[in-house]
């Protein structure tokens, strides 16, 4: 630990001595897609290192063209505003203000000479434009949102070291976000300590995940989409039942991709190779191409990528090395059409395949980074999303309708040889998920965060779980289970002022869910389960106070729920689990905005009451099943702070504390009373430092470092799964040097080659021995190149 402190102290001292950022008058490489003005100037300001303000917040909804190429910030702004009724005023060398263009007037007749007027004072700069919380479904400004939320932009050119893809990239930066560590595409995400179990099964996820306005998940593991060409990520802490319905008990994660630019060709390429101590090499590559189809009307954006993470775990029983290799391949295509008169049409396709050759756990008592299994334990995750969004804007009034189709197929194999008399036995499980959804909303956003949104939604889907057990070459089929569900919902939220600095929000969601299950066993046929109907009303109430423009104090009450379902356990046993509900009261405050203000801070405290907790579990033999384990309570305290002591230097810190307990166990779980809920650390913290500067007439350097501490947690509830894990520090440093549109990056993770246990699970059939561990990936260095054009 003392070595860690010495290294970070040295890094901080070196950063403090580095020079400042360049003048805004120098040329920079810009890549800003067409879209809303408020979103475009956020990106342009970040890429150009300038401050841009709107004279009137209502200008933020103006549609603007994209900007691509090398130029100075003023030229980029003028190009951005081409074709609009807006113009830009330079306040100083690094600050700009966007105003409405004055209408042309006839040239006045000559007037007699008069005394010269005194010089006019310079108009003070307007405050920087606020970050918009798109996930509020009415584009509420961050300064006005009465709840815990994180809005972060991504630079995927940094932090692409093996093991740091997809959701892992977010978890490394956001302590409030946690997950299991079974492997890529196999994990469950958790927010604010709302964790049901460490295992995956038929229960719905506690975190809703979205790509734009389309939902990504239902009851499967995290799709773990790669974050290439993603503009921003929003994390709304939950529950978010009013706006997002079932399966948002902990909150939601929303990925906002860059939208196509209908005016300019652009593209990017990136690739890298990585080397891991005591492991195989890794590689990654990605490409993006933006194709203008019709100027100011239509554009197409295509993304393709692949990464191979080399393995580093040995199997001493099979005498194999580097068994846990994984490969991720995927792509996206997005089409945007803006025919005019306020219409916008977006359609797209997302595809990703994850293949893991074997488990990434090791076993205590064996040589370092080793396990002993009789057979390989591969995993496959194939994900497809088709979506379309139609939007009509009448000034501040927006009508939006999104439809989506999801095909999600997962397959896994576990070594179940402990069930037999010394011969290899395989347990195979495959899950086929089909989901269809539509949501239509009408919203208006007004000044001071006031406004409203109303909507209706419908989704239906099914998932089929097929299981086989026996000889690895030809395992025998077991009972399958099919769950079907359909949900209709109507919802709304209204925010209004009750005093000059005090606002309130009220909302609710009524939903009706119909679901049924069926066990499919040719040897023991049985009739389908009768359909059941569940009605839910989820209220929302919030109040906020703004003592000044960049300071918000709020209190919020909200609820969430998940419907029940049917599961199969053991060889052919059937279990049914009921719906669970959560209610959370939260108080918090936010001051300033990270990245815009020299100093910002946010604090939040909450208490949640969780009833009839659904949990995916494993029985004493190792077979998965689902059950309601009882009622619980979660106390949570979190805080973040950001400080920019100099224009080129930013320091970020965050921490959380959770106290989660099973307070009223259900029958059969009495011995788990007062146990911690699974997989959530009691506390954790993160420190990050970022610095950038010019090192030549066309060269720039960026350095980022961070360390995150994960506190102790437990694998599950009950004596058999009361297995400790966690208590480790994850570290990373990224250095990037760029010249014009080309960049070289070097990334290093696990600086001190720590090998602590992240997760005490890898195989359900031997997990209760308490010997399984998932170590940190050994120290890894990645060298990458990227270019934009």
């Amino acid at each position: 630990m003392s070595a860690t402190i010495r290294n970070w102290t040295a890094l901080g001292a070196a950063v403090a001595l580095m020079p400042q950022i360049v003048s805004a008058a120098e040329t920079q490489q810009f890549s800003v897609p067409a879209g809303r003005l408020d979103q475009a100037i956020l990106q342009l300001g970040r890429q150009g290192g300038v401050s841009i303000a709107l004279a009137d917040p209502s200008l933020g909804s103006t549609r603007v063209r994209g900007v691509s190429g090398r130029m100075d910030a003023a030229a980029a702004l003028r190009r951005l505003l081409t074709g609009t009724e807006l113009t830009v005023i330079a306040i100083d060398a690094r600050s700009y203000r966007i105003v409405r263009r004055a209408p042309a007037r006839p040239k006045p007749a000559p007037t007699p000479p008069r005394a010269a007027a005194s010089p006019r004072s310079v108009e003070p700069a307007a405050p920087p434009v606020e970050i918009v919380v798109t996930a509020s479904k009415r584009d509420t400004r961050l300064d006005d949102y009465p709840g815990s939320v994180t809005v972060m932009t991504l630079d995927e050119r940094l932090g692409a070291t093996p093991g740091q893809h997809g959701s892992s990239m977010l978890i490394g930066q956001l302590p409030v976000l946690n997950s299991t560590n079974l492997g890529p595409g196999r994990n469950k995400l958790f927010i604010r300590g709302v964790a049901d179990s460490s295992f995956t099964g038929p229960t719905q996820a506690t975190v809703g995940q979205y790509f734009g306005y389309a939902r990504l998940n239902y009851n499967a593991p995290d799709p773990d989409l790669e974050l290439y060409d993603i503009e921003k990520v929003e994390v709304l802490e939950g529950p978010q039942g009013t706006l997002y319905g079932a399966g948002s008990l902990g909150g939601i994660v929303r990925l906002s991709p860059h939208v196509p630019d209908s005016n300019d060709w652009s593209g990017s390429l990136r690739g890298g190779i990585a080397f891991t101590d005591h492991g195989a090499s890794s590689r990654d590559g990605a490409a993006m191409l933006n194709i203008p189809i019709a100027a100011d009307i239509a554009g197409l954006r295509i993304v393709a990528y692949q990464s191979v993470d080399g393995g580093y775990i040995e199997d001493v029983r099979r005498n194999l090395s580097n068994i846990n290799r994984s490969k991720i391949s995927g792509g996206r295509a997005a089409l945007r059409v803006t025919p005019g008169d306020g219409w916008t049409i977006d359609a797209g396709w997302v595809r990703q395949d994850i293949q893991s050759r074997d488990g990434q756990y090791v076993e205590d008592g064996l040589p370092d980074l080793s396990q002993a299994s009789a057979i390989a334990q591969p995993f496959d995750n194939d994900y497809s999303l088709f979506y379309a969004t139609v939007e009509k804007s009448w000034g501040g009034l927006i009508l939006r309708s999104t439809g989506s189709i999801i095909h999600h197929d997962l397959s896994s194999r576990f070594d179940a040889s402990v069930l037999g008399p010394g011969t290899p036995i395989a347990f195979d499980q495959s899950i086929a998920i089909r989901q269809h959804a539509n949501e239509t909303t009408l919203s208006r956003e007004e000044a001071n965060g006031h406004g409203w949104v109303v909507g209706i939604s419908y989704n239906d889907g099914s998932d089929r779980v097929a299981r086989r057990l026996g000889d690895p070459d030809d395992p025998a089929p077991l009972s399958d289970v099919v769950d079907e569900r359909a949900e209709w919902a109507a919802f709304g939220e209204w925010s209004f002022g009750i005093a000059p600095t005090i606002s309130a929000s009220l909302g609710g969601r009524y939903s009706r869910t119909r679901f049924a299950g069926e066990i499919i066993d040719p040897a023991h046929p049985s009739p389908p389960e009768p359909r059941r109907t569940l009605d839910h009303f989820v209220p929302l109430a919030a109040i906020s106070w703004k003592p000044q423009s960049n300071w918000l104090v709020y209190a919020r009450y909200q609820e969430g729920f998940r419907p029940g379902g049917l599961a199969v356990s053991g060889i052919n046993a059937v279990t049914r689990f009921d719906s669970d509900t959560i209610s959370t009261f939260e108080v918090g405050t936010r001051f300033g905005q990270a990245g815009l203000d020299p100093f910002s801070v946010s604090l939040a405290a909450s208490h949640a009451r969780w009833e009839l907790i659904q949990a995916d579990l494993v029985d004493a033999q190792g077979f998965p099943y689902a059950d309601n384990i009882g009622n619980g309570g979660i106390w949570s305290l979190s805080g973040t702070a950001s400080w920019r002591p100099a224009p080129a230097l930013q320091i970020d810190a965050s921490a959380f504390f959770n106290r989660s307990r099973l307070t009223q166990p259900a029958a059969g779980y009495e011995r788990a009373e007062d146990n911690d809920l699974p997989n959530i650390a009691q506390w954790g913290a993160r420190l990050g430092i970022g610095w950038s500067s010019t090192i030549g007439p066309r060269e720039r350097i960026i350095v980022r470092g961070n360390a995150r501490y994960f506190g102790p947690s437990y694998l599950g509830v009950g004596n058999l799964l009361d297995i400790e894990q966690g208590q480790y520090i994850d570290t990373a440093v990224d250095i990037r040097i760029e010249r014009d549109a080309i960049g070289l990056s070097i990334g290093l993770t696990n600086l001190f080659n720590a090998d602590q246990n992240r997760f005490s699970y890898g195989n359900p059939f031997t997990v209760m021995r308490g010997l399984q561990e998932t170590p940190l990936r050994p120290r890894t260095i990645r060298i990458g190149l990227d270019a934009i054009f």
Side-chain angles (χ1 to χ4, degrees):
M1 185 65 182
S2 59
T4 304
I5 295 173
R6 287 195 301 270
N7 277 274
W8 281 104
T9 302
L11 177 61
V15 166
L17 296 174
M18 296 180 178
Q20 305 300 308
I21 200 166
V22 299
S23 166
E26 297 187 13
T27 60
Q28 301 285 332
Q29 184 69 33
F30 290 94
S31 178
V32 180
R36 288 174 56 106
L37 175 61
D38 51 11
Q39 297 297 316
I41 62 177
L42 284 175
Q43 294 187 62
L44 195 150
R46 183 173 63 253
Q47 294 174 18
V50 295
S51 175
I52 309 168
L54 297 177
D56 180 354
S58 66
L59 302 180
S61 60
T62 303
R63 294 288 174 177
V64 293
R65 62 181 299 170
V67 175
S68 180
R70 188 170 186 85
M71 64 198 81
D72 61 41
L77 276 168
R78 289 193 295 270
R79 187 170 180 181
L80 184 78
L81 300 176
T82 300
T84 70
E85 299 179 352
L86 308 178
T87 188
V88 61
I89 298 173
I91 303 302
D92 57 36
R94 303 191 58 77
S95 302
Y96 298 88
R97 190 179 189 191
I98 294 174
V99 300
R100 292 191 186 277
R101 191 187 307 272
R105 298 179 181 176
K107 185 176 181 179
T111 57
R114 59 180 179 177
S118 60
R120 195 173 85 177
S121 60
V122 177
E123 184 178 2
V129 63
E130 288 101 340
I131 298 171
V132 173
V133 184
T134 313
S136 65
K137 296 194 176 180
R138 54 185 176 90
D139 292 352
T140 303
R141 289 177 292 276
L142 177 61
D143 278 346
D144 298 318
Y145 183 77
S148 293
V149 58
T150 301
V151 181
M152 58 184 295
T153 57
L154 296 176
D155 186 349
E156 68 266 18
R157 299 170 301 179
L158 296 169
T161 309
Q164 298 294 315
H165 308 290
S167 298
S168 297
M169 210 173 187
L170 303 179
I171 293 166
Q173 300 185 50
L174 301 174
V176 75
L177 187 64
N178 291 275
S179 80
T180 58
N181 281 285
L182 193 57
R186 311 181 73 173
N187 298 321
K188 299 175 75 170
L189 290 184
F190 307 120
I191 298 176
R192 189 184 262 168
V194 182
D196 52 359
S197 78
S198 296
F199 311 101
T200 55
T203 65
Q204 189 174 2
T206 63
V207 174
Q209 294 175 256
Y210 290 79
F211 186 85
Y213 298 101
R215 181 148 188 168
L216 289 171
N217 67 329
Y218 187 80
N219 65 336
D222 169 24
D224 210 6
L225 294 183
E226 293 280 39
L227 301 180
Y228 296 117
D229 203 43
I230 296 296
E231 176 191 352
K232 68 176 181 178
V233 178
E234 297 168 271
V235 179
L236 270 63
E237 298 181 31
Q240 292 289 332
T242 299
L243 291 182
Y244 288 94
S248 57
L249 275 65
I252 68 111
V253 176
R254 184 179 187 271
L255 309 179
S256 295
H258 287 290
V259 299
D261 180 355
S262 60
N263 292 296
D264 295 297
W265 288 83
S266 62
S268 65
L269 295 169
R270 55 163 289 183
I273 186 169
F275 305 94
T276 298
D277 283 3
H278 311 294
S281 62
S282 306
R283 63 183 185 274
D284 64 89
M288 182 279 293
L289 180 63
N290 186 91
I291 305 171
I293 299 174
D296 295 319
I297 296 177
L300 177 68
R301 197 173 184 98
I302 300 171
V303 177
Y305 55 84
Q306 185 180 89
S307 64
V308 176
D309 288 358
Y312 51 89
I313 292 174
E314 297 183 3
D315 191 299
V316 296
R317 182 171 178 178
R318 293 178 288 146
N319 195 28
L320 296 174
S321 300
N322 306 326
I323 62 172
N324 60 315
R325 176 184 186 271
S326 64
K327 178 181 178 181
I328 303 175
S329 305
R332 305 198 302 266
L335 173 70
R336 166 162 285 197
V337 179
T338 52
D341 195 28
W343 287 97
T344 302
I345 302 169
D346 289 301
W349 166 77
V350 178
R351 172 72 184 185
Q352 180 170 282
D353 299 333
I354 301 176
Q355 299 174 348
S356 297
R357 287 183 175 176
D358 217 320
Q360 66 172 16
Y361 69 96
V362 301
E363 294 176 271
D364 195 19
L366 297 178
D368 290 346
L369 300 177
S370 298
Q371 62 170 255
S373 55
I375 58 174
Q377 301 176 82
F379 172 78
D380 188 71
N381 182 333
D382 299 334
Y383 184 88
S384 294
L385 166 70
F386 303 88
Y387 66 91
T389 298
V390 178
E391 180 181 303
K392 167 65 175 174
S393 175
W394 300 271
L397 192 66
I398 297 177
L399 175 68
R400 181 183 296 119
S401 183
T402 298
S404 62
I405 300 173
I406 293 173
H407 286 187
H408 196 179
D409 296 299
L410 306 102
S411 63
S412 56
R413 166 169 282 193
F414 292 106
D415 181 6
S417 301
V418 294
L419 301 178
T423 58
I425 297 176
F427 176 75
D428 293 344
Q429 179 170 276
S430 62
I431 305 174
I433 299 169
R434 303 293 181 263
Q435 187 79 15
H436 315 89
N438 176 266
E439 179 180 276
T440 301
T441 61
L442 182 66
S443 64
R444 177 183 290 277
E445 180 63 20
E446 301 168 352
N448 301 317
H450 302 161
W452 50 267
V453 59
V454 294
I456 56 174
S457 69
Y458 170 77
N459 72 78
D460 69 78
S462 66
D463 45 88
R464 176 166 182 159
V465 180
R467 308 175 310 145
R468 302 174 71 89
L469 179 71
D471 186 332
D473 295 327
D474 187 24
L478 303 177
S479 297
D480 295 357
V481 62
V482 177
D483 274 315
E484 298 179 343
R485 60 199 168 272
E487 180 191 77
W488 299 261
F491 60 90
E493 181 180 316
W494 176 38
S495 297
F496 53 93
I498 57 178
T501 59
I502 300 177
S503 300
S505 297
L506 296 173
R509 184 187 191 97
Y510 170 76
S511 63
R512 167 162 287 193
T513 306
R514 298 185 64 187
F515 51 95
E518 181 179 2
I519 299 297
I520 301 176
D521 184 357
H524 305 88
S526 60
E529 290 285 309
R531 288 190 173 272
R532 291 179 287 166
T533 300
L534 178 68
D535 293 317
H536 264 290
F537 178 76
V538 179
L540 172 148
I543 189 168
S544 61
W545 171 49
K546 289 191 78 171
Q548 59 188 61
S549 61
N550 63 343
W551 183 15
L552 181 75
V553 181
Y554 64 88
R556 185 181 185 94
Y557 174 83
Q558 196 159 331
E559 297 181 3
F561 72 97
R562 293 184 295 178
L566 196 68
V568 62
S569 65
I571 300 298
N572 287 306
V574 178
T575 61
R576 182 185 293 112
F577 54 95
D578 296 322
S579 301
D580 60 353
T581 60
I582 194 169
S583 56
T584 300
F585 178 73
E586 171 190 3
V587 294
T589 184
R590 271 196 311 275
F591 178 83
Q593 293 184 12
L596 294 179
D597 296 308
F599 177 76
S600 65
V601 64
S602 67
L603 298 169
S606 66
H607 177 259
R609 171 69 177 172
W610 196 356
E611 298 184 349
L612 296 177
I613 300 171
Q614 296 176 9
D616 295 308
L617 305 167
V618 294
D619 63 21
Q621 286 186 299
F623 291 101
Y625 72 103
D627 203 357
N628 299 93
I629 61 174
N631 301 334
I634 304 169
W635 288 95
S636 179
L637 178 65
S638 62
T640 64
S642 178
W643 179 38
R644 196 170 66 239
L649 176 64
Q650 181 160 318
I651 301 172
D652 300 302
S654 52
F656 72 88
F657 169 79
N658 280 311
R659 189 179 188 277
S660 60
R661 292 288 188 273
L662 184 66
T663 56
Q664 295 177 296
Y669 300 93
E670 292 86 357
R671 298 182 67 180
E673 185 170 4
D674 288 330
N675 274 192
D676 287 358
L677 294 179
N679 213 69
I680 295 297
Q682 297 170 2
W683 72 281
R686 178 186 182 273
L687 175 66
I689 301 175
W691 169 82
S692 62
S693 180
T694 54
I695 55 176
R698 298 160 59 191
E699 293 79 24
R700 188 165 178 253
I701 185 171
I702 303 170
V703 181
R704 295 180 185 174
N706 70 82
R708 178 173 174 182
Y709 173 72
F710 294 79
S713 65
Y714 294 90
L715 180 66
V717 296
N719 291 344
L720 295 178
L721 295 175
D722 192 21
I723 303 170
E724 193 170 0
Q725 56 193 13
Q727 299 191 71
Y728 63 93
I729 297 177
D730 202 0
T731 53
V733 170
D734 294 290
I735 302 173
R736 172 179 166 79
I737 300 174
E738 57 187 34
R739 177 185 173 91
D740 297 332
I742 299 175
L744 168 69
S745 59
I746 300 175
L748 183 65
T749 58
N750 194 3
L751 276 63
F752 309 106
N753 214 23
D755 61 355
Q756 283 88 354
N757 177 28
R758 295 182 291 165
F759 189 49
S760 297
Y761 170 58
N763 180 350
F765 294 95
T766 56
V767 65
M768 293 185 187
R769 295 177 177 176
L771 301 178
Q772 297 175 13
E773 297 182 353
T774 303
L776 288 164
R777 185 181 189 90
R779 181 170 44 229
T780 299
I781 184 170
R782 175 188 180 271
I783 303 171
L785 285 171
D786 61 81
I788 59 176
F789 54 88

